[in-house]
Amino acid sequence: MTTHLLQDIAPQTPLSDPFSSAAAQSAVLELDGARLVAVATLPQRARGAIGKRETAIFRQAIATASEHRLPLVMLIDSAGAKIDEGVAVQGDLRALIGDLLVQRQRIPGILAVLGRHTFGGASLVAMCADQRLYPPGNRLAMSGPRLLYAHNTDPRRVDAVISSASRLRCDPAGHATSETPTALRDDIARWLASPRRGSFNVHPEADGGESTPSVRVSQSRLSQSQLSQSRLSQSRQGQPARIDCLGSAPPDHRDLADRALAIQRLPAGLPLILRCQWSCHSLRAIDEARLQSLALVRLASTIEHRVRSGDTVELVIDGELSGGIYLALAACASRVRLTVRGRVRSLPSRVAELITPRGDHPQASAEHLHALGIIDTLEVRDEH
């Protein structure tokens, strides 16, 4: 592939803004007689990193595909979020992922074509698609390689885990593609011609049966009977259901599947409060091996499905929260509330110095977080 994936598949297509310095472009194009909306990151500009301008371009492409009921192809070669934009990127990515999960009900198929790199928020965007095309040289992970190397003893293990071969083994909607423009174009054309291009839905039952239907409360797992009794009791009392995500350790892939399944099994018509103290997603190779990005999007998708069904889901941030965990829980929540001891960061404080020379940006005020769309309300008193 070249550094501009849109030019690979449609060289004559005019771009939305050819003179923009943003690391993304979009176009409405025709391929073998079929019209589609295409949006691409530009890896030659800031390694395709996604920030405010890039999310705006992606969101406009999603809106166009939804309005005109056209298929959407996202060509993603990206190092992840623009760290220099600070915590603001969390609000932008929250809106982008929320748009993808909500609007896919109106879009007749979403395909993610991956380039060489798909890290961080870009990996979550890719997992919101119905299907994905992996070239041989792709590497995909919720965290960048440097961060994974720092937290895992064997770099070769990390490289194997985030490779396209590993992803194809555990992604039920993943397909291999060649890196040549002709093969890529043919694969997209075949996808467009397929009547099942939008058949894959991101739901937790696709987890493979390894998780148990439980909710973690104060670091313990409840049995299904205990879980049902707790919910029925809350329902009889007219109180919302509450799921706590507690503990200083990041959640593993089983924790994420547990939350998704617990939310899915709540009775209809019952409001839900998610109270979270998790600081960030896992940095362990074993959790990346289970395709952590897909597990996070399945959790977000379950929240979206519940909200779309008419139930409210409120996320209460009651500790430090950052990264993929924030995006998974906040993207489709009805409301995000910050408690007096809640914090939202662009990077977890314990790893920020590994990413930027000066560490993470200063903690934004609650008013700033609200203005950025990162939270919706601020809790002015302590409920505990």
Side-chain angles (χ1 to χ4, degrees), residues 1 5-13 29-34 36 73 75 111 113 133 177-193:
M1 298 182 196
L5 298 181
L6 275 179
Q7 293 175 348
D8 285 341
I9 63 172
Q12 306 305 316
T13 298
L29 54 89
E30 185 170 311
L31 192 63
D32 291 356
L36 67 141
V73 175
L75 303 114
L111 175 69
V113 180
L133 294 179
T177 188
S178 170
E179 291 188 295
T180 66
T182 299
L184 175 62
R185 188 182 186 283
D186 290 346
D187 286 337
I188 295 174
R190 277 193 290 271
W191 174 79
L192 286 168

Side-chain angles (χ1 to χ4, degrees), residues 160-214:
V161 160
I162 67 177
S163 69
S164 62
S166 172
R167 284 9 195 151
L168 284 166
R169 286 194 293 269
C170 54
D171 184 352
H175 306 274
T177 188
S178 170
E179 291 188 295
T180 66
T182 299
L184 175 62
R185 188 182 186 283
D186 290 346
D187 286 337
I188 295 174
R190 277 193 290 271
W191 174 79
L192 286 168
S194 170
R196 294 177 56 81
R197 63 174 180 245
S199 63
F200 176 70
N201 289 313
V202 185
H203 282 301
E205 56 265 32
D207 181 66
E210 295 185 4
S211 61
T212 56
S214 62

Side-chain angles (χ1 to χ4, degrees), residues 11 17 27 36 38 108 113 154 177 261 299 330-331 351 368 380-381:
D17 187 358
L36 67 141
V113 180
D154 186 355
T177 188
L261 193 55
L299 178 55
V351 301
H368 190 207
V380 296
R381 60 185 177 84

Side-chain angles (χ1 to χ4, degrees), residues 229-240:
Q229 289 171 2
S230 173
R231 288 172 180 165
L232 289 172
S233 174
Q234 290 163 331
S235 180
R236 283 197 301 268
Q237 295 171 4
Q239 298 296 317

Side-chain angles (χ1 to χ4, degrees), residues 142-307:
M142 190 57 238
S143 300
R146 183 168 54 160
L147 195 55
L148 294 174
Y149 293 154
H151 285 78
N152 295 275
T153 57
D154 186 355
R156 292 173 298 179
R157 160 77 168 154
V158 170
D159 290 337
V161 160
I162 67 177
S163 69
S164 62
S166 172
R167 284 9 195 151
L168 284 166
R169 286 194 293 269
C170 54
D171 184 352
H175 306 274
T177 188
S178 170
E179 291 188 295
T180 66
T182 299
L184 175 62
R185 188 182 186 283
D186 290 346
D187 286 337
I188 295 174
R190 277 193 290 271
W191 174 79
L192 286 168
S194 170
R196 294 177 56 81
R197 63 174 180 245
S199 63
F200 176 70
N201 289 313
V202 185
H203 282 301
E205 56 265 32
D207 181 66
E210 295 185 4
S211 61
T212 56
S214 62
V215 178
R216 175 166 295 187
V217 179
S218 301
Q219 305 263 20
S220 64
R221 294 183 184 271
L222 301 176
S223 69
Q224 180 57 41
S225 61
Q226 290 173 313
L227 181 61
S228 299
Q229 289 171 2
S230 173
R231 288 172 180 165
L232 289 172
S233 174
Q234 290 163 331
S235 180
R236 283 197 301 268
Q237 295 171 4
Q239 298 296 317
R242 174 169 156 171
I243 296 177
D244 289 340
C245 307
L246 306 179
S248 57
D252 62 22
H253 63 278
R254 295 167 301 178
D255 294 319
L256 298 176
D258 285 351
R259 283 330 160 277
L261 193 55
I263 294 169
Q264 184 189 28
R265 292 188 173 184
L266 281 174
L270 188 63
L272 171 63
I273 295 175
L274 290 169
R275 183 171 288 269
C276 189
Q277 294 178 350
W278 284 334
S279 63
C280 69
H281 57 271
S282 173
L283 302 174
R284 299 191 310 160
I286 182 61
D287 292 311
E288 284 296 348
R290 301 302 175 93
L291 202 45
Q292 184 172 211
S293 302
L294 183 56
L296 287 165
V297 170
R298 284 173 174 157
L299 178 55
S301 179
T302 306
I303 294 172
E304 187 278 328
H305 185 269
R306 189 164 189 86
V307 171

